[in-house]
Amino acid sequence: MVKVGIIGAMELEVSSLKGQLSGCRISKKAGMEFCEGKIGGVDVVVVRCGIGKVNAALCVQILCDDHHVTHVINTGVAGSLNNDLNIGDILISKDAVHHDVDVTVFSYRKGEVPQLGVREFPADPHLIEAAEKAISDNQPELNYRVGRVASGDQFISSSEVKERIISEFEADCAEMEGASIAHGAYLNGIPFVIIRAISDKADGSAEEDYPTFEKAAAAHCAKLVADMLGLI
Ligand code: ADE
């Protein structure tokens, strides 16, 4: 049986999904509220994990241990690292990497967590396909790419840092949770995908408009996640 854990870092990333839940049961752990019910007939647990990699990793583990989810989807916003991805566009993860891990002194590659044997955590091909089909069925006008998510405990807002992450990781977007969710899913043997709507260009431009873009982008993304649930 399919049971999908849906994680957003902020309330605005999960509020519309929570609004669609039927038969919602709420439980709390580690300061997070897990809302379990059905969306479009599919069993889901929707949760706001809070911002950053530690919150995200804890959340995945709780979803696995206490809620026995079979799949994990991360929805939210991201800064674009790809000129083809503009504000409002969608990035579906091919894989995810920690851009703030550096153990190169012991010959590991930038971003590689020691002794794990993987640097980029691969997303599940079936979930990627479901997300692409949900777009072509319901929002064919949406511009999207399947690409790499780079995550770190930092909001990227300078061209210099942006260029460094692009050159070191060939990533398409930057955010603060995806690689931890991918890492946690990988350790637990659970398929995952990250769906992010672009809210900014990760270079400090248009900062005054950020709250508006963020809200619209988050809603965009949540709609896509709801649309793909029936295709899993
Ligand atoms: N989330 C949305 N935009 C972001 C950025 N520029 N850096 C990190 N996380 C983000």
Side-chain angles (χ1 to χ4, degrees):
M1 195 195 72
V2 167
K3 189 179 193 179
V4 184
I6 305 174
I7 304 174
M10 297 179 290
E11 193 57 34
L12 64 93
E13 293 170 329
V14 290
S15 58
S16 70
L17 289 162
K18 283 186 187 171
Q20 294 174 56
L21 270 175
S22 62
C24 173
R25 297 177 302 284
I26 293 177
S27 58
K28 292 183 183 167
K29 195 162 186 176
M32 301 171 205
E33 215 175 68
F34 295 81
C35 307
E36 185 157 354
K38 282 184 192 287
I39 296 179
V42 178
D43 286 315
V44 297
V45 185
V46 182
V47 53
R48 174 183 66 83
C49 70
I51 292 170
K53 299 204 306 177
V54 174
N55 287 326
L58 277 169
C59 185
V60 172
Q61 199 58 50
I62 295 167
L63 283 171
C64 290
D65 291 348
D66 294 5
H67 299 274
H68 310 290
V69 298
T70 56
H71 301 70
V72 173
I73 301 175
N74 175 213
T75 179
V77 296
S80 176
L81 303 178
N82 177 333
N83 285 336
D84 292 337
L85 285 172
N86 289 304
I87 290 166
D89 294 345
I90 296 281
L91 186 285
I92 301 169
S93 65
K94 157 187 88 181
D95 56 26
V97 62
H98 296 286
H99 71 67
D100 58 355
V101 168
D102 185 347
V103 194
T104 49
V105 68
F106 294 123
S107 304
Y108 290 99
R109 288 177 302 158
K110 263 273 173 82
E112 187 175 356
V113 175
Q115 303 179 351
L116 206 56
V118 56
R119 184 178 84 143
E120 300 92 11
F121 301 97
D124 180 62
H126 174 64
L127 289 176
I128 295 172
E129 207 180 297
E132 290 192 271
K133 183 157 180 2
I135 292 176
S136 63
D137 287 355
N138 302 288
Q139 303 186 76
E141 69 292 347
L142 256 189
N143 182 39
Y144 78 93
R145 294 281 181 281
V146 178
R148 178 162 297 156
V149 175
S151 313
D153 280 321
Q154 202 181 349
F155 191 94
I156 308 304
S157 60
S158 85
S159 301
E160 198 188 334
V161 180
K162 173 177 175 172
E163 291 310 321
R164 179 185 65 75
I165 296 173
I166 294 170
S167 74
E168 288 177 349
F169 299 102
E170 295 172 328
D172 298 288
C173 76
E175 39 78 300
M176 301 177 68
E177 296 83 22
S180 275
I181 290 168
H183 190 157
Y186 172 82
L187 292 177
N188 284 280
I190 303 267
F192 79 92
V193 72
I194 301 159
I195 317 276
R196 294 273 176 165
I198 301 300
S199 55
D200 60 276
K201 304 286 274 182
D203 57 5
S205 63
E207 259 172 6
E208 65 281 8
D209 294 329
Y210 180 76
T212 317
F213 292 145
E214 180 186 55
K215 204 163 174 220
H220 238 111
C221 206
K223 170 166 171 29
L224 165 52
V225 169
D227 287 341
M228 71 182 274
L229 286 173
L231 302 169
I232 294 174

